[in-house]
Amino acid sequence: MPKIKTHRGAAKRFKVTGTGKIKRNKAYRRHLLTSKNAKRGRQLRNPAYVDETQEKNIKMLLPYLV
């Protein structure tokens, strides 16, 4: 079997936790932050987890991550 290529864009965006969940950063924190309130900005700082329905798709892009 040949080696499978990792999707490099996905590799930069996702990490796996110790329990096997896939961690991601939240969107909407790059620009136009003055119109967003401080509470929203703080909440966007914290990482989120990929939904269970999408985990299979992410794992296909990252075969050596898990």
Side-chain angles (χ1 to χ4, degrees):
M1 285 293 289
K3 289 192 274 185
I4 306 168
K5 287 195 176 183
T6 297
H7 190 286
R8 297 313 297 164
K12 294 166 188 175
R13 287 171 171 83
F14 301 105
K15 301 268 184 282
V16 173
T17 63
T19 57
K21 291 181 182 177
I22 301 175
K23 190 167 67 168
R24 65 174 178 84
N25 286 322
K26 292 179 183 172
Y28 305 111
R29 189 153 163 82
R30 293 290 178 195
H31 58 92
L32 302 174
L33 296 173
T34 51
S35 61
K36 298 169 184 138
N37 61 29
K39 179 181 177 181
R40 187 170 169 193
R42 284 193 305 274
Q43 289 174 340
L44 290 172
R45 258 184 238 149
N46 302 323
Y49 298 99
V50 172
D51 195 68
E52 293 172 3
T53 57
Q54 296 296 315
E55 276 191 12
K56 183 180 175 187
N57 297 334
I58 302 300
K59 287 178 180 177
M60 282 174 61
L61 296 172
L62 304 167
Y64 302 106
L65 188 68
V66 183

